[in-house]
Amino acid sequence: MRLLLISNSTNPGEAYLDYPKYNIKEFLGEKPIEALFIPYAAVTFSYDEYEKKVNERFKEIGHSVVSIHHYDDPVKAVEEAEAIVVGGGNTWKLVRMLRDNKIIELISKRVKQGVPYIGWSAGSNVACPTLRTTNDMPIIDPKGFDVANLVPFQINPHYLDTHPENHGGETREDRIREFITENQDIYVVGLREGSMLNLEGDDLKLIGKKTARIFKYGEEPRELKIGDDFSFLLKK
Amino acid sequence: MRLLLISNSTNPGEAYLDYPKYNIKEFLGEKPIEALFIPYAAVTFSYDEYEKKVNERFKEIGHSVVSIHHYDDPVKAVEEAEAIVVGGGNTWKLVRMLRDNKIIELISKRVKQGVPYIGWSAGSNVACPTLRTTNDMPIIDPKGFDVANLVPFQINPHYLDTHPENHGGETREDRIREFITENQDIYVVGLREGSMLNLEGDDLKLIGKKTARIFKYGEEPRELKIGDDFSFLLKK
């Protein structure tokens, strides 16, 4: 299985999907790929706009995407995809659309057969067993919390250490501590912005300048850096 | 119907539930009330601890709470409650526990019959039609998004203008704009920390020093202040 799970599309002040573009290029390889793009996390902008934005970056690195909304049959689109790219936005809307279009299990099956998968933000979240570590507002009922289950751990994308000054709400770490209290047998990876996880077969590695924060019930959270062993996350 | 819907329990640096205590006192009146407390939003601390923390403040103002976990039959506890108090924490856990204990509709019925309702944070969220404007991490499937439906609009508690510096994730306003795009017929009240809404019959008013930010699809967000007319929010 080949996965590139990216925390966030864009660093503030940069062009959309700019910082991870060379990682995407390396992941997809030299041969030009026309990947299937899933824009369903978009809520306040159109699928056409989203596809255009992503294509600008993909074309820069010798590849391209075609959005699933151009296909009459989304199931057939997934069945024939060379690579699958799932963009960020609102995880709840994304999962509901994936479910309504009956392609969650099919994506999982195709990726397990070797089709490369790239996701960022919500798109990284749906590679997990469930959407239960999303940061997004639940604007629509996803009709079930289970998602593609490509990895046996949860990712919290856009993982954040800072807390708005003088704000009384829970911190991100507080929320993840709630998650592991309620879900004691699963790891959570707090994936900071600018970071990504790359799985190649059984080899899971961190990419980016920041450490990742690993949470599990009964253990103190720990910081792992590039080059550290992440394979324990793959054991069920 | 009588509601006191509070954005947040505690302002940073203050004692738990300190800032709204005189509003709670005024809302409950002079006669000592023993309110039913619902601590189900607690995840990382015990119901006993939660009850104790709330009681410290309630006793300061001449009232008290008894937590629902001391009753053998939660349904009977709600049926006999003089007042209902729902504390904050994790909205998803709260809703799942309310649902498992089969008391959501009963709370709604009792409050519509005149039993005073006080909620903060997650407890204000469950007074809305659904939990779809919560900020919390969905650590558990609530088995349905509908909640008590005491008011026909949505509250976003802990509404926040600031955004962590150099963070690429969506702002709170971005998220609410997604919500109103997906749910075009419903108002959202961004209720800033230190603020509360008080409903007395048909009279809805804002309490606190900050304005509330009102969102509806197709309208520019607007800021309403104390003394402004909020009655349009009550029209379905």
PDB file of all heavy atoms in Angstrom, chain A residues 89-90 92-93 132 136-139 160 167-169 175 178 182-183 193, chain B residues 89-90 92-93 132 136-140 160 167-169 175 178 182-183 193:
ATOM      1  N   GLY A  89     -11.033  20.321   3.361  1.00  0.00           N
ATOM      2  CA  GLY A  89     -12.238  21.162   3.415  1.00  0.00           C
ATOM      3  C   GLY A  89     -12.986  20.762   4.666  1.00  0.00           C
ATOM      4  O   GLY A  89     -12.436  20.814   5.759  1.00  0.00           O
ATOM      5  N   ASN A  90     -14.225  20.290   4.508  1.00  0.00           N
ATOM      6  CA  ASN A  90     -14.995  19.833   5.665  1.00  0.00           C
ATOM      7  C   ASN A  90     -15.110  18.308   5.639  1.00  0.00           C
ATOM      8  O   ASN A  90     -15.707  17.734   4.722  1.00  0.00           O
ATOM      9  CB  ASN A  90     -16.375  20.499   5.663  1.00  0.00           C
ATOM     10  CG  ASN A  90     -17.147  20.168   6.933  1.00  0.00           C
ATOM     11  OD1 ASN A  90     -17.551  19.024   7.135  1.00  0.00           O
ATOM     12  ND2 ASN A  90     -17.310  21.151   7.807  1.00  0.00           N
ATOM     13  N   TRP A  92     -16.864  16.240   7.346  1.00  0.00           N
ATOM     14  CA  TRP A  92     -18.224  15.700   7.465  1.00  0.00           C
ATOM     15  C   TRP A  92     -18.911  15.659   6.119  1.00  0.00           C
ATOM     16  O   TRP A  92     -19.582  14.685   5.769  1.00  0.00           O
ATOM     17  CB  TRP A  92     -19.016  16.532   8.469  1.00  0.00           C
ATOM     18  CG  TRP A  92     -18.345  16.572   9.797  1.00  0.00           C
ATOM     19  CD1 TRP A  92     -17.382  17.448  10.210  1.00  0.00           C
ATOM     20  CD2 TRP A  92     -18.524  15.644  10.879  1.00  0.00           C
ATOM     21  NE1 TRP A  92     -16.973  17.134  11.478  1.00  0.00           N
ATOM     22  CE2 TRP A  92     -17.659  16.046  11.916  1.00  0.00           C
ATOM     23  CE3 TRP A  92     -19.350  14.537  11.068  1.00  0.00           C
ATOM     24  CZ2 TRP A  92     -17.590  15.363  13.136  1.00  0.00           C
ATOM     25  CZ3 TRP A  92     -19.287  13.865  12.276  1.00  0.00           C
ATOM     26  CH2 TRP A  92     -18.420  14.275  13.285  1.00  0.00           C
ATOM     27  N   LYS A  93     -18.748  16.738   5.376  1.00  0.00           N
ATOM     28  CA  LYS A  93     -19.346  16.806   4.042  1.00  0.00           C
ATOM     29  C   LYS A  93     -18.668  15.776   3.128  1.00  0.00           C
ATOM     30  O   LYS A  93     -19.333  15.080   2.352  1.00  0.00           O
ATOM     31  CB  LYS A  93     -19.167  18.229   3.503  1.00  0.00           C
ATOM     32  CG  LYS A  93     -19.729  18.466   2.126  1.00  0.00           C
ATOM     33  CD  LYS A  93     -21.241  18.433   2.090  1.00  0.00           C
ATOM     34  CE  LYS A  93     -21.737  18.738   0.683  1.00  0.00           C
ATOM     35  NZ  LYS A  93     -23.188  18.629   0.574  1.00  0.00           N
ATOM     36  N   ARG A 132     -13.215  10.310  13.823  1.00  0.00           N
ATOM     37  CA  ARG A 132     -13.360  10.839  15.180  1.00  0.00           C
ATOM     38  C   ARG A 132     -12.257  11.763  15.678  1.00  0.00           C
ATOM     39  O   ARG A 132     -12.335  12.245  16.810  1.00  0.00           O
ATOM     40  CB  ARG A 132     -13.554   9.677  16.172  1.00  0.00           C
ATOM     41  CG  ARG A 132     -14.946   9.083  16.059  1.00  0.00           C
ATOM     42  CD  ARG A 132     -15.122   7.902  16.982  1.00  0.00           C
ATOM     43  NE  ARG A 132     -14.238   6.816  16.592  1.00  0.00           N
ATOM     44  CZ  ARG A 132     -14.200   5.636  17.195  1.00  0.00           C
ATOM     45  NH1 ARG A 132     -14.989   5.388  18.219  1.00  0.00           N
ATOM     46  NH2 ARG A 132     -13.379   4.706  16.777  1.00  0.00           N
ATOM     47  N   ASP A 136     -13.164  19.512  12.361  1.00  0.00           N
ATOM     48  CA  ASP A 136     -14.122  20.301  11.591  1.00  0.00           C
ATOM     49  C   ASP A 136     -15.490  20.376  12.252  1.00  0.00           C
ATOM     50  O   ASP A 136     -15.831  19.558  13.102  1.00  0.00           O
ATOM     51  CB  ASP A 136     -14.265  19.700  10.186  1.00  0.00           C
ATOM     52  CG  ASP A 136     -12.925  19.615   9.480  1.00  0.00           C
ATOM     53  OD1 ASP A 136     -11.940  20.170   9.987  1.00  0.00           O
ATOM     54  OD2 ASP A 136     -12.878  18.970   8.420  1.00  0.00           O
ATOM     55  N   MET A 137     -16.264  21.366  11.846  1.00  0.00           N
ATOM     56  CA  MET A 137     -17.613  21.526  12.378  1.00  0.00           C
ATOM     57  C   MET A 137     -18.529  20.512  11.682  1.00  0.00           C
ATOM     58  O   MET A 137     -18.509  20.398  10.454  1.00  0.00           O
ATOM     59  CB  MET A 137     -18.086  22.958  12.136  1.00  0.00           C
ATOM     60  CG  MET A 137     -19.365  23.292  12.876  1.00  0.00           C
ATOM     61  SD  MET A 137     -19.769  25.069  12.759  1.00  0.00           S
ATOM     62  CE  MET A 137     -18.741  25.730  14.075  1.00  0.00           C
ATOM     63  N   PRO A 138     -19.326  19.776  12.457  1.00  0.00           N
ATOM     64  CA  PRO A 138     -20.145  18.690  11.892  1.00  0.00           C
ATOM     65  C   PRO A 138     -21.402  19.218  11.198  1.00  0.00           C
ATOM     66  O   PRO A 138     -22.531  18.996  11.647  1.00  0.00           O
ATOM     67  CB  PRO A 138     -20.496  17.863  13.133  1.00  0.00           C
ATOM     68  CG  PRO A 138     -20.559  18.879  14.233  1.00  0.00           C
ATOM     69  CD  PRO A 138     -19.460  19.871  13.922  1.00  0.00           C
ATOM     70  N   ILE A 139     -21.198  19.883  10.077  1.00  0.00           N
ATOM     71  CA  ILE A 139     -22.284  20.603   9.410  1.00  0.00           C
ATOM     72  C   ILE A 139     -23.320  19.682   8.781  1.00  0.00           C
ATOM     73  O   ILE A 139     -24.410  20.115   8.435  1.00  0.00           O
ATOM     74  CB  ILE A 139     -21.720  21.565   8.340  1.00  0.00           C
ATOM     75  CG1 ILE A 139     -20.989  20.777   7.237  1.00  0.00           C
ATOM     76  CG2 ILE A 139     -20.776  22.583   8.982  1.00  0.00           C
ATOM     77  CD1 ILE A 139     -20.604  21.621   6.025  1.00  0.00           C
ATOM     78  N   LEU A 160      -2.042  21.352  16.614  1.00  0.00           N
ATOM     79  CA  LEU A 160      -1.784  22.717  17.024  1.00  0.00           C
ATOM     80  C   LEU A 160      -1.361  22.742  18.482  1.00  0.00           C
ATOM     81  O   LEU A 160      -2.026  22.170  19.335  1.00  0.00           O
ATOM     82  CB  LEU A 160      -3.141  23.418  16.876  1.00  0.00           C
ATOM     83  CG  LEU A 160      -3.260  24.892  16.967  1.00  0.00           C
ATOM     84  CD1 LEU A 160      -2.483  25.554  15.843  1.00  0.00           C
ATOM     85  CD2 LEU A 160      -4.742  25.271  16.841  1.00  0.00           C
ATOM     86  N   HIS A 167      -8.546  32.462  25.829  1.00  0.00           N
ATOM     87  CA  HIS A 167      -9.705  31.677  25.397  1.00  0.00           C
ATOM     88  C   HIS A 167      -9.941  30.555  26.401  1.00  0.00           C
ATOM     89  O   HIS A 167      -9.008  29.862  26.800  1.00  0.00           O
ATOM     90  CB  HIS A 167      -9.448  31.097  24.004  1.00  0.00           C
ATOM     91  CG  HIS A 167     -10.638  30.380  23.432  1.00  0.00           C
ATOM     92  ND1 HIS A 167     -11.815  31.037  23.136  1.00  0.00           N
ATOM     93  CD2 HIS A 167     -10.848  29.083  23.108  1.00  0.00           C
ATOM     94  CE1 HIS A 167     -12.681  30.164  22.659  1.00  0.00           C
ATOM     95  NE2 HIS A 167     -12.131  28.972  22.623  1.00  0.00           N
ATOM     96  N   GLY A 168     -11.202  30.391  26.811  1.00  0.00           N
ATOM     97  CA  GLY A 168     -11.512  29.407  27.852  1.00  0.00           C
ATOM     98  C   GLY A 168     -11.786  28.005  27.338  1.00  0.00           C
ATOM     99  O   GLY A 168     -11.961  27.085  28.122  1.00  0.00           O
ATOM    100  N   GLY A 169     -11.866  27.829  26.011  1.00  0.00           N
ATOM    101  CA  GLY A 169     -12.183  26.508  25.458  1.00  0.00           C
ATOM    102  C   GLY A 169     -11.029  25.529  25.611  1.00  0.00           C
ATOM    103  O   GLY A 169      -9.901  25.922  25.917  1.00  0.00           O
ATOM    104  N   ARG A 175      -8.578  17.912  23.825  1.00  0.00           N
ATOM    105  CA  ARG A 175      -9.558  17.161  23.018  1.00  0.00           C
ATOM    106  C   ARG A 175      -9.047  15.767  22.679  1.00  0.00           C
ATOM    107  O   ARG A 175      -9.793  14.790  22.723  1.00  0.00           O
ATOM    108  CB  ARG A 175      -9.878  17.930  21.730  1.00  0.00           C
ATOM    109  CG  ARG A 175     -10.676  19.216  21.969  1.00  0.00           C
ATOM    110  CD  ARG A 175     -11.950  18.933  22.715  1.00  0.00           C
ATOM    111  NE  ARG A 175     -12.770  20.126  22.894  1.00  0.00           N
ATOM    112  CZ  ARG A 175     -13.846  20.150  23.689  1.00  0.00           C
ATOM    113  NH1 ARG A 175     -14.219  19.098  24.395  1.00  0.00           N
ATOM    114  NH2 ARG A 175     -14.552  21.253  23.799  1.00  0.00           N
ATOM    115  N   GLU A 178      -9.366  13.571  25.578  1.00  0.00           N
ATOM    116  CA  GLU A 178     -10.732  13.035  25.649  1.00  0.00           C
ATOM    117  C   GLU A 178     -10.881  11.841  24.703  1.00  0.00           C
ATOM    118  O   GLU A 178     -11.461  10.814  25.055  1.00  0.00           O
ATOM    119  CB  GLU A 178     -11.759  14.112  25.268  1.00  0.00           C
ATOM    120  CG  GLU A 178     -11.913  15.230  26.278  1.00  0.00           C
ATOM    121  CD  GLU A 178     -12.943  16.277  25.860  1.00  0.00           C
ATOM    122  OE1 GLU A 178     -13.374  16.286  24.681  1.00  0.00           O
ATOM    123  OE2 GLU A 178     -13.311  17.105  26.707  1.00  0.00           O
ATOM    124  N   GLU A 182     -11.768   7.923  25.756  1.00  0.00           N
ATOM    125  CA  GLU A 182     -12.959   7.236  25.241  1.00  0.00           C
ATOM    126  C   GLU A 182     -12.581   6.060  24.341  1.00  0.00           C
ATOM    127  O   GLU A 182     -13.353   5.103  24.203  1.00  0.00           O
ATOM    128  CB  GLU A 182     -13.807   8.258  24.463  1.00  0.00           C
ATOM    129  CG  GLU A 182     -15.172   7.779  24.038  1.00  0.00           C
ATOM    130  CD  GLU A 182     -16.085   7.438  25.197  1.00  0.00           C
ATOM    131  OE1 GLU A 182     -16.075   8.155  26.213  1.00  0.00           O
ATOM    132  OE2 GLU A 182     -16.811   6.424  25.093  1.00  0.00           O
ATOM    133  N   ASN A 183     -11.404   6.127  23.724  1.00  0.00           N
ATOM    134  CA  ASN A 183     -10.976   5.112  22.747  1.00  0.00           C
ATOM    135  C   ASN A 183      -9.564   4.663  23.137  1.00  0.00           C
ATOM    136  O   ASN A 183      -8.570   5.144  22.601  1.00  0.00           O
ATOM    137  CB  ASN A 183     -10.967   5.715  21.336  1.00  0.00           C
ATOM    138  CG  ASN A 183     -12.313   6.307  20.938  1.00  0.00           C
ATOM    139  OD1 ASN A 183     -13.216   5.590  20.546  1.00  0.00           O
ATOM    140  ND2 ASN A 183     -12.452   7.622  21.082  1.00  0.00           N
ATOM    141  N   GLU A 193       1.101  21.125  11.060  1.00  0.00           N
ATOM    142  CA  GLU A 193       1.095  21.696   9.706  1.00  0.00           C
ATOM    143  C   GLU A 193       2.508  21.677   9.123  1.00  0.00           C
ATOM    144  O   GLU A 193       3.491  21.878   9.840  1.00  0.00           O
ATOM    145  CB  GLU A 193       0.530  23.110   9.740  1.00  0.00           C
ATOM    146  CG  GLU A 193      -0.945  23.090  10.089  1.00  0.00           C
ATOM    147  CD  GLU A 193      -1.635  24.420   9.857  1.00  0.00           C
ATOM    148  OE1 GLU A 193      -0.960  25.439   9.740  1.00  0.00           O
ATOM    149  OE2 GLU A 193      -2.887  24.412   9.797  1.00  0.00           O
TER     150      GLU A 193
ATOM    151  N   GLY B  89     -18.162  20.299  28.347  1.00  0.00           N
ATOM    152  CA  GLY B  89     -17.181  19.222  28.244  1.00  0.00           C
ATOM    153  C   GLY B  89     -17.131  18.806  26.787  1.00  0.00           C
ATOM    154  O   GLY B  89     -16.888  19.643  25.924  1.00  0.00           O
ATOM    155  N   ASN B  90     -17.437  17.546  26.509  1.00  0.00           N
ATOM    156  CA  ASN B  90     -17.478  17.090  25.129  1.00  0.00           C
ATOM    157  C   ASN B  90     -18.929  16.858  24.699  1.00  0.00           C
ATOM    158  O   ASN B  90     -19.624  16.001  25.250  1.00  0.00           O
ATOM    159  CB  ASN B  90     -16.650  15.819  24.965  1.00  0.00           C
ATOM    160  CG  ASN B  90     -16.547  15.405  23.507  1.00  0.00           C
ATOM    161  OD1 ASN B  90     -17.539  14.994  22.911  1.00  0.00           O
ATOM    162  ND2 ASN B  90     -15.369  15.538  22.925  1.00  0.00           N
ATOM    163  N   TRP B  92     -20.233  15.508  22.113  1.00  0.00           N
ATOM    164  CA  TRP B  92     -20.539  14.187  21.517  1.00  0.00           C
ATOM    165  C   TRP B  92     -20.803  13.153  22.588  1.00  0.00           C
ATOM    166  O   TRP B  92     -21.737  12.348  22.485  1.00  0.00           O
ATOM    167  CB  TRP B  92     -19.374  13.762  20.620  1.00  0.00           C
ATOM    168  CG  TRP B  92     -19.119  14.762  19.550  1.00  0.00           C
ATOM    169  CD1 TRP B  92     -18.298  15.868  19.631  1.00  0.00           C
ATOM    170  CD2 TRP B  92     -19.718  14.815  18.248  1.00  0.00           C
ATOM    171  NE1 TRP B  92     -18.357  16.571  18.459  1.00  0.00           N
ATOM    172  CE2 TRP B  92     -19.202  15.949  17.592  1.00  0.00           C
ATOM    173  CE3 TRP B  92     -20.622  13.992  17.569  1.00  0.00           C
ATOM    174  CZ2 TRP B  92     -19.572  16.300  16.290  1.00  0.00           C
ATOM    175  CZ3 TRP B  92     -20.983  14.326  16.280  1.00  0.00           C
ATOM    176  CH2 TRP B  92     -20.470  15.464  15.655  1.00  0.00           C
ATOM    177  N   LYS B  93     -19.969  13.187  23.619  1.00  0.00           N
ATOM    178  CA  LYS B  93     -20.146  12.254  24.727  1.00  0.00           C
ATOM    179  C   LYS B  93     -21.452  12.582  25.465  1.00  0.00           C
ATOM    180  O   LYS B  93     -22.225  11.678  25.816  1.00  0.00           O
ATOM    181  CB  LYS B  93     -18.947  12.376  25.666  1.00  0.00           C
ATOM    182  CG  LYS B  93     -18.981  11.487  26.867  1.00  0.00           C
ATOM    183  CD  LYS B  93     -18.778  10.032  26.519  1.00  0.00           C
ATOM    184  CE  LYS B  93     -18.729   9.181  27.797  1.00  0.00           C
ATOM    185  NZ  LYS B  93     -18.674   7.749  27.492  1.00  0.00           N
ATOM    186  N   ARG B 132     -24.881  20.326  15.341  1.00  0.00           N
ATOM    187  CA  ARG B 132     -24.023  20.584  14.190  1.00  0.00           C
ATOM    188  C   ARG B 132     -23.167  21.854  14.247  1.00  0.00           C
ATOM    189  O   ARG B 132     -22.441  22.137  13.298  1.00  0.00           O
ATOM    190  CB  ARG B 132     -24.856  20.585  12.905  1.00  0.00           C
ATOM    191  CG  ARG B 132     -25.266  19.175  12.507  1.00  0.00           C
ATOM    192  CD  ARG B 132     -26.140  19.172  11.276  1.00  0.00           C
ATOM    193  NE  ARG B 132     -27.406  19.823  11.553  1.00  0.00           N
ATOM    194  CZ  ARG B 132     -28.403  19.931  10.684  1.00  0.00           C
ATOM    195  NH1 ARG B 132     -28.274  19.438   9.476  1.00  0.00           N
ATOM    196  NH2 ARG B 132     -29.521  20.535  11.025  1.00  0.00           N
ATOM    197  N   ASP B 136     -16.410  20.653  19.245  1.00  0.00           N
ATOM    198  CA  ASP B 136     -15.707  19.590  19.949  1.00  0.00           C
ATOM    199  C   ASP B 136     -15.277  18.461  19.021  1.00  0.00           C
ATOM    200  O   ASP B 136     -15.812  18.303  17.925  1.00  0.00           O
ATOM    201  CB  ASP B 136     -16.602  19.032  21.060  1.00  0.00           C
ATOM    202  CG  ASP B 136     -17.055  20.117  22.017  1.00  0.00           C
ATOM    203  OD1 ASP B 136     -16.547  21.249  21.931  1.00  0.00           O
ATOM    204  OD2 ASP B 136     -17.940  19.829  22.842  1.00  0.00           O
ATOM    205  N   MET B 137     -14.325  17.686  19.471  1.00  0.00           N
ATOM    206  CA  MET B 137     -13.842  16.553  18.703  1.00  0.00           C
ATOM    207  C   MET B 137     -14.845  15.401  18.841  1.00  0.00           C
ATOM    208  O   MET B 137     -15.255  15.073  19.958  1.00  0.00           O
ATOM    209  CB  MET B 137     -12.455  16.140  19.209  1.00  0.00           C
ATOM    210  CG  MET B 137     -11.765  15.144  18.307  1.00  0.00           C
ATOM    211  SD  MET B 137     -10.035  14.859  18.815  1.00  0.00           S
ATOM    212  CE  MET B 137      -9.219  16.241  18.008  1.00  0.00           C
ATOM    213  N   PRO B 138     -15.236  14.795  17.721  1.00  0.00           N
ATOM    214  CA  PRO B 138     -16.300  13.771  17.744  1.00  0.00           C
ATOM    215  C   PRO B 138     -15.782  12.420  18.226  1.00  0.00           C
ATOM    216  O   PRO B 138     -15.731  11.456  17.472  1.00  0.00           O
ATOM    217  CB  PRO B 138     -16.731  13.713  16.286  1.00  0.00           C
ATOM    218  CG  PRO B 138     -15.482  14.049  15.510  1.00  0.00           C
ATOM    219  CD  PRO B 138     -14.782  15.092  16.347  1.00  0.00           C
ATOM    220  N   ILE B 139     -15.436  12.352  19.500  1.00  0.00           N
ATOM    221  CA  ILE B 139     -14.757  11.182  20.062  1.00  0.00           C
ATOM    222  C   ILE B 139     -15.645   9.951  20.132  1.00  0.00           C
ATOM    223  O   ILE B 139     -15.150   8.851  20.316  1.00  0.00           O
ATOM    224  CB  ILE B 139     -14.191  11.508  21.460  1.00  0.00           C
ATOM    225  CG1 ILE B 139     -15.323  11.856  22.442  1.00  0.00           C
ATOM    226  CG2 ILE B 139     -13.192  12.659  21.377  1.00  0.00           C
ATOM    227  CD1 ILE B 139     -14.863  11.949  23.893  1.00  0.00           C
ATOM    228  N   ILE B 140     -16.962  10.142  19.983  1.00  0.00           N
ATOM    229  CA  ILE B 140     -17.894   9.003  20.020  1.00  0.00           C
ATOM    230  C   ILE B 140     -19.102   9.344  19.149  1.00  0.00           C
ATOM    231  O   ILE B 140     -19.507  10.507  19.068  1.00  0.00           O
ATOM    232  CB  ILE B 140     -18.298   8.686  21.487  1.00  0.00           C
ATOM    233  CG1 ILE B 140     -19.177   7.437  21.571  1.00  0.00           C
ATOM    234  CG2 ILE B 140     -18.952   9.872  22.166  1.00  0.00           C
ATOM    235  CD1 ILE B 140     -19.437   6.956  23.005  1.00  0.00           C
ATOM    236  N   LEU B 160     -15.234  32.638  18.503  1.00  0.00           N
ATOM    237  CA  LEU B 160     -13.861  33.098  18.561  1.00  0.00           C
ATOM    238  C   LEU B 160     -13.545  33.899  17.319  1.00  0.00           C
ATOM    239  O   LEU B 160     -13.790  33.465  16.197  1.00  0.00           O
ATOM    240  CB  LEU B 160     -13.025  31.809  18.572  1.00  0.00           C
ATOM    241  CG  LEU B 160     -11.573  31.845  18.860  1.00  0.00           C
ATOM    242  CD1 LEU B 160     -11.332  32.327  20.287  1.00  0.00           C
ATOM    243  CD2 LEU B 160     -11.025  30.424  18.708  1.00  0.00           C
ATOM    244  N   HIS B 167      -1.371  29.746  11.393  1.00  0.00           N
ATOM    245  CA  HIS B 167      -2.069  28.458  11.290  1.00  0.00           C
ATOM    246  C   HIS B 167      -2.870  28.432   9.998  1.00  0.00           C
ATOM    247  O   HIS B 167      -3.578  29.389   9.675  1.00  0.00           O
ATOM    248  CB  HIS B 167      -2.999  28.281  12.490  1.00  0.00           C
ATOM    249  CG  HIS B 167      -3.662  26.936  12.531  1.00  0.00           C
ATOM    250  ND1 HIS B 167      -2.937  25.767  12.673  1.00  0.00           N
ATOM    251  CD2 HIS B 167      -4.958  26.563  12.434  1.00  0.00           C
ATOM    252  CE1 HIS B 167      -3.773  24.742  12.666  1.00  0.00           C
ATOM    253  NE2 HIS B 167      -5.004  25.201  12.524  1.00  0.00           N
ATOM    254  N   GLY B 168      -2.742  27.333   9.247  1.00  0.00           N
ATOM    255  CA  GLY B 168      -3.393  27.241   7.943  1.00  0.00           C
ATOM    256  C   GLY B 168      -4.829  26.738   7.981  1.00  0.00           C
ATOM    257  O   GLY B 168      -5.504  26.733   6.962  1.00  0.00           O
ATOM    258  N   GLY B 169      -5.294  26.289   9.139  1.00  0.00           N
ATOM    259  CA  GLY B 169      -6.645  25.734   9.226  1.00  0.00           C
ATOM    260  C   GLY B 169      -7.720  26.806   9.098  1.00  0.00           C
ATOM    261  O   GLY B 169      -7.437  27.996   9.184  1.00  0.00           O
ATOM    262  N   ARG B 175     -15.822  28.087   9.275  1.00  0.00           N
ATOM    263  CA  ARG B 175     -16.595  26.874   9.581  1.00  0.00           C
ATOM    264  C   ARG B 175     -18.090  27.167   9.629  1.00  0.00           C
ATOM    265  O   ARG B 175     -18.908  26.380   9.156  1.00  0.00           O
ATOM    266  CB  ARG B 175     -16.124  26.256  10.899  1.00  0.00           C
ATOM    267  CG  ARG B 175     -14.719  25.675  10.843  1.00  0.00           C
ATOM    268  CD  ARG B 175     -14.607  24.615   9.775  1.00  0.00           C
ATOM    269  NE  ARG B 175     -13.308  23.964   9.752  1.00  0.00           N
ATOM    270  CZ  ARG B 175     -12.920  23.158   8.751  1.00  0.00           C
ATOM    271  NH1 ARG B 175     -13.699  22.932   7.711  1.00  0.00           N
ATOM    272  NH2 ARG B 175     -11.742  22.589   8.774  1.00  0.00           N
ATOM    273  N   GLU B 178     -19.439  27.490   6.251  1.00  0.00           N
ATOM    274  CA  GLU B 178     -19.731  26.156   5.707  1.00  0.00           C
ATOM    275  C   GLU B 178     -21.086  25.664   6.223  1.00  0.00           C
ATOM    276  O   GLU B 178     -21.907  25.144   5.457  1.00  0.00           O
ATOM    277  CB  GLU B 178     -18.645  25.144   6.115  1.00  0.00           C
ATOM    278  CG  GLU B 178     -17.298  25.358   5.437  1.00  0.00           C
ATOM    279  CD  GLU B 178     -16.245  24.342   5.870  1.00  0.00           C
ATOM    280  OE1 GLU B 178     -16.453  23.625   6.883  1.00  0.00           O
ATOM    281  OE2 GLU B 178     -15.196  24.269   5.211  1.00  0.00           O
ATOM    282  N   GLU B 182     -24.463  24.800   3.947  1.00  0.00           N
ATOM    283  CA  GLU B 182     -25.072  23.462   3.947  1.00  0.00           C
ATOM    284  C   GLU B 182     -26.483  23.492   4.551  1.00  0.00           C
ATOM    285  O   GLU B 182     -27.314  22.642   4.223  1.00  0.00           O
ATOM    286  CB  GLU B 182     -24.167  22.511   4.741  1.00  0.00           C
ATOM    287  CG  GLU B 182     -24.535  21.052   4.665  1.00  0.00           C
ATOM    288  CD  GLU B 182     -24.415  20.467   3.272  1.00  0.00           C
ATOM    289  OE1 GLU B 182     -23.475  20.815   2.538  1.00  0.00           O
ATOM    290  OE2 GLU B 182     -25.297  19.657   2.911  1.00  0.00           O
ATOM    291  N   ASN B 183     -26.733  24.452   5.426  1.00  0.00           N
ATOM    292  CA  ASN B 183     -28.001  24.523   6.167  1.00  0.00           C
ATOM    293  C   ASN B 183     -28.546  25.942   6.027  1.00  0.00           C
ATOM    294  O   ASN B 183     -28.359  26.791   6.894  1.00  0.00           O
ATOM    295  CB  ASN B 183     -27.768  24.187   7.642  1.00  0.00           C
ATOM    296  CG  ASN B 183     -27.106  22.835   7.853  1.00  0.00           C
ATOM    297  OD1 ASN B 183     -27.778  21.804   7.840  1.00  0.00           O
ATOM    298  ND2 ASN B 183     -25.784  22.837   8.019  1.00  0.00           N
ATOM    299  N   GLU B 193     -17.253  34.097  24.384  1.00  0.00           N
ATOM    300  CA  GLU B 193     -17.042  33.770  25.799  1.00  0.00           C
ATOM    301  C   GLU B 193     -17.414  34.961  26.683  1.00  0.00           C
ATOM    302  O   GLU B 193     -17.198  36.111  26.316  1.00  0.00           O
ATOM    303  CB  GLU B 193     -15.595  33.337  26.022  1.00  0.00           C
ATOM    304  CG  GLU B 193     -15.303  32.023  25.313  1.00  0.00           C
ATOM    305  CD  GLU B 193     -13.988  31.389  25.725  1.00  0.00           C
ATOM    306  OE1 GLU B 193     -13.142  32.087  26.304  1.00  0.00           O
ATOM    307  OE2 GLU B 193     -13.828  30.179  25.471  1.00  0.00           O
TER     308      GLU B 193
END
